[in-house]
Amino acid sequence: SSISLRSALETTPVAYGFWLTLPSAPVAKTILRRSPEFSEGGFSWVLVDAEHGLINDSHYYELTNAVGHEGASPIIRVPWPEEWMIKRALDAGAHGVMTPMCHSAEDAAKVVSYCKYPPVGVRGYGPMFTPHSFPGVKPAEYDEKTHNEVMVIVQIESRPGVENVEEIAKVEGLDVLFIGPFDLAKQMRVTRGGEEHETAIQRVLNAARSAGKKAAIFCSDGDDALRRIQQGFDMVSITTDVAVFGDGMLNELEKAKGS
Ligand code: 3PY
């Protein structure tokens, strides 16, 4: 597949990714250049966060091209599961989209429909710049093949999302159920890491597996990611760009002070 994330999920034990909150192609490329190819254990995807980060749709084209040409899949998290937002992300070259707050199978089916051209879905056609972020893919190939392979990812991060997760997981064309643990705890009004929270997370993992879908989760750091991989998650984001900058600089400051 010309979608690195799809290939990684099919051919490697875990699809590793990281969160990009800064609208910076140089930041994304610096990280990707330092890490191995995904087939050698490096990153197969980058979450381009347009829900909570500083990124908006005028940044999409540059970011999808930067990430795509470094051999990883740019996955855009759109601000909300709206048809027009998903269309703009895919048109700008996203190899997949992630949508916040999926509460039901109906929600998930809408997202799938927004990602696929007719007759499968309702995605509008505006492919002028879309293939640019897929190395080697010609416009006709994008239309005929690649577009059907873009990753459709919904976030499970609410009580109804968890209660309906078995139905959500069965939705055809959906690839990944992605847990947002922070929102899940807040929306459920439970403690993050507490028993109810972990039971909900396990339920999402089980539902994905039973339906033959992939299960993914946002992790705060590498230790957190390892624990989730050991639980059976197929796809993890290991941390964020800004967390690494902040922690890394503080560590060096502490060293400089001899502490
Ligand atoms: C969450 O944890 O709520 C997320 O969506 C990841 O930032």
Side-chain angles (χ1 to χ4, degrees):
S1 171
S2 38
I3 314 280
S4 300
L5 173 54
R6 190 172 288 287
S7 300
L9 287 167
E10 284 167 8
T11 63
T12 71
V14 185
Y16 298 100
F18 66 88
W19 225 252
L20 190 72
T21 65
L22 296 168
S24 172
V27 164
K29 288 180 78 95
T30 298
I31 297 168
L32 292 170
R33 283 274 161 132
R34 284 227 34 195
S35 64
E37 305 282 308
F38 73 79
S39 55
E40 308 284 318
F43 296 109
S44 56
W45 60 286
V46 175
L47 194 284
V48 175
D49 192 5
E51 184 196 12
H52 286 304
L54 298 177
I55 294 165
N56 63 51
D57 65 359
S58 69
H59 305 121
Y60 290 172
Y61 179 79
E62 193 194 359
L63 295 175
T64 59
N65 277 268
V67 172
H69 286 274
E70 292 296 336
S73 284
I75 305 299
I76 295 180
R77 178 162 76 170
V78 292
W80 203 243
E82 294 280 354
E83 179 174 1
W84 68 272
M85 294 183 188
I86 291 170
K87 178 165 57 186
R88 290 187 68 75
L90 291 173
D91 281 357
H95 291 199
V97 291
M98 185 186 297
T99 58
M101 296 287 169
C102 178
H103 305 307
S104 66
E106 191 189 2
D107 284 354
K110 275 190 198 160
V111 172
V112 172
S113 164
Y114 300 157
C115 290
K116 315 268 182 189
Y117 292 143
V120 178
V122 298
R123 179 178 167 193
Y125 188 66
M128 291 77 73
F129 312 110
T130 313
H132 298 187
S133 61
F134 298 83
V137 172
K138 301 268 184 293
E141 286 166 1
Y142 179 84
D143 284 10
E144 284 156 23
K145 179 164 181 286
T146 309
H147 116 267
N148 279 318
E149 297 184 345
V150 302
M151 300 295 300
V152 184
I153 304 172
V154 297
Q155 285 201 272
I156 308 298
E157 48 186 355
S158 69
R159 198 177 283 278
V162 172
E163 279 165 5
N164 295 321
V165 73
E166 290 80 15
E167 294 306 309
I168 294 171
K170 286 187 201 136
V171 169
E172 203 182 327
L174 182 66
D175 294 299
V176 180
L177 303 186
F178 196 110
I179 298 171
F182 285 83
D183 272 314
L184 183 63
K186 287 194 184 299
Q187 297 282 323
M188 290 182 73
R189 295 167 171 72
V190 298
T191 310
R192 189 163 53 85
E195 196 183 327
E196 269 190 275
H197 190 240
E198 289 299 327
T199 301
I201 288 172
Q202 189 65 48
R203 181 168 168 184
V204 176
L205 175 61
N206 294 346
R209 304 201 118 187
S210 309
K213 302 286 164 58
K214 302 296 182 184
I217 188 162
F218 175 91
C219 301
S220 300
D221 56 33
D223 295 327
D224 188 20
L226 178 59
R227 185 169 64 93
R228 294 308 185 189
I229 292 163
Q230 287 167 344
Q231 287 179 332
F233 280 89
D234 306 291
M235 174 176 164
V236 291
S237 65
I238 63 170
T239 185
T240 70
D241 50 4
V242 285
V244 167
F245 293 157
D247 293 350
M249 201 59 83
L250 186 59
N251 280 341
E252 298 314 312
L253 178 61
E254 293 303 327
K255 282 196 246 168
K257 294 194 296 193
S259 50

